[in-house]
Amino acid sequence: MNSLFGHIQIPALVDLHVHFREPGFEYKESILSGSRAAMRAGYSDVFTMPNLNPAPDTLEHLSLQTAIIARDSLIGVHPYASITLGQKGEGELVNIEELSPLVSGFSDDGRGIQDEGLMREAMQRIAAVGSIIVEHCEVNSLLRGGYIHDGMYAQAHNHRGICSESEWREIERNIRLSEETGCRLHICHISTKESVQLIREAKKSGIPVTCETAPHYLLLNEGMLQETGNWKMNPPIRSVADQMALLAGIQDGTIDVIATDHAPHSAEEKSRGLEHSAFGIVGIETAFPLLYTYLVKTDMLTMNRLIELMSTRARAIMGLPMDDSWATFDLDAHYTIDPEQFVSKGHSTPFAGWPVWGKCIRNEYKGTVVYEAE
């Protein structure tokens, strides 16, 4: 980390959890638009979820995505394959042995695998090829049609809630299966205090588990909710107690990574209020300034710890080089988050209007300058 006159050069950022939507949903985001947004935000590498059409569940389907990446990506874009055919969270597993050399891991993000036997088999086979399972943890029977946190706001405003147990119960099961099979398990976007404690205890026991959370779970809580689609994501923004547990988790090392879960949708899909809007917000262009402003400048985190959470730990988990990509930020740049200025096709964020410090002014990817601010 080098610093001069308010400028800081750090290992370029890495995001283990993005949705670039192509092939199949290019109107929401494309490899080109998503990688351009990430490039300008200081990222060198991103890992794309398989919520695509077709899902990357066979060599043929994966090749459609990798061809677009080869043609259009401006930084490192690394696909995950789905765990199940059609990314259904059930049914038949993909050909893990065939796909593993070509992908960074396996995920059915957006769908938790409900059947324990199927998950055990997936973990056994993924462990055998030395890969990693990147899991969205959710018990479908506990969702009960919910769409925000099952807490005070839901009760006060007559909304159907998603209980915390729907997340931590499956995390508990998957940790047990990881211990049984030896499979590396990376748990996506944790949001509850119980999840933090389960992972903390698993790490103490030497189970090969890592996890991520996202900026919105660290900086927001249900008391801040508004009746717009900008506040709807899965898992949902939860209670103050959950928020405090997550902050403790990034401070004590329980949480390895801050990912964005960058999930763009069209303006129309996000205009239907809390109940009927699509799940997901964008975050890749706001993550660093938000976390620097509200965690580092408030002395909740050191800059070194933020770099670890947003770059070096993710590099270690995924085996990326530590010294070939660098981002320079102007920490004195002060501005207000304005979705109309986003490079991403998606503009839905609960952080519109928030004042922040810190802006990427240069991005060097594998020795080549791919972005320099005017």
Side-chain angles (χ1 to χ4, degrees), residues 4-229:
L4 183 65
F5 303 123
H7 293 180
I8 186 171
Q9 184 187 62
I10 65 174
L13 308 180
V14 176
D15 197 334
L16 295 186
H17 191 142
V18 302
H19 301 265
F20 280 0
R21 306 299 193 195
E22 191 176 22
F25 306 99
E26 295 88 344
Y27 72 94
K28 300 174 188 274
E29 192 79 288
S30 65
I31 297 296
L32 179 60
S33 65
S35 65
R36 179 177 287 126
M39 175 188 72
R40 291 171 63 95
Y43 288 85
S44 64
D45 296 88
V46 298
F47 291 75
T48 57
M49 289 297 173
N51 314 58
L52 305 171
N53 185 21
D57 57 357
T58 65
L59 288 179
E60 179 184 6
H61 291 164
L62 176 65
S63 69
L64 298 175
Q65 183 185 9
T66 55
I68 299 168
I69 291 170
R71 184 190 70 200
D72 291 344
S73 65
L74 303 172
I75 57 169
V77 176
H78 311 276
Y80 296 121
S82 61
I83 300 170
T84 60
L85 289 176
Q87 201 229 335
K88 295 177 179 178
E90 59 185 11
E92 186 177 348
L93 296 176
V94 301
N95 189 329
I96 289 165
E97 296 75 17
E98 186 175 60
L99 289 169
S100 64
L102 304 174
V103 297
S104 298
F106 295 83
S107 179
D108 266 3
D109 184 64
R111 295 179 175 87
I113 293 180
Q114 307 303 297
D115 182 79
E116 181 169 328
L118 188 67
M119 187 56 145
R120 179 181 287 104
E121 182 187 352
M123 283 193 173
Q124 288 170 336
R125 291 171 60 185
I126 290 169
V129 297
S131 191
I132 188 170
I133 197 161
V134 180
E135 183 62 353
H136 173 105
C137 294
E138 192 169 60
V139 179
N140 290 349
S141 63
L142 295 175
L143 298 179
R144 305 183 184 109
Y147 45 89
I148 64 170
H149 175 58
D150 187 15
M152 293 184 297
Y153 188 92
Q155 295 164 15
H157 296 82
N158 199 30
H159 288 297
R160 293 189 300 279
I162 299 174
C163 67
S164 295
E165 188 179 0
S166 66
E167 174 179 304
W168 66 257
R169 183 65 70 186
E170 188 152 307
I171 287 176
E172 183 178 55
R173 183 204 71 181
N174 289 343
I175 287 173
R176 173 168 52 80
L177 292 176
S178 174
E179 181 177 31
E180 176 186 325
T181 63
C183 183
R184 288 194 297 146
L185 170 66
H186 181 77
I187 301 171
C188 295
H189 48 44
I190 68 169
S191 68
T192 76
K193 60 184 185 294
E194 294 90 351
S195 301
V196 176
Q197 187 57 28
L198 284 166
I199 294 163
R200 182 178 287 123
E201 293 302 319
K203 289 188 167 191
K204 289 179 182 177
S205 299
I207 300 170
V209 58
T210 56
C211 71
E212 68 191 42
T213 193
H216 40 283
Y217 304 119
L218 297 168
L219 302 180
L220 305 174
N221 59 69
E222 64 170 338
M224 305 163 75
L225 284 173
Q226 299 176 22
E227 292 289 321
T228 75

Side-chain angles (χ1 to χ4, degrees), residues 311-332:
S311 177
T312 56
R313 183 65 178 127
R315 290 178 183 277
I317 291 169
M318 289 299 178
L320 293 176
M322 290 286 184
D323 59 356
D324 67 347
S325 298
W326 302 89
T328 303
F329 288 85
D330 179 359
L331 299 182
D332 292 333

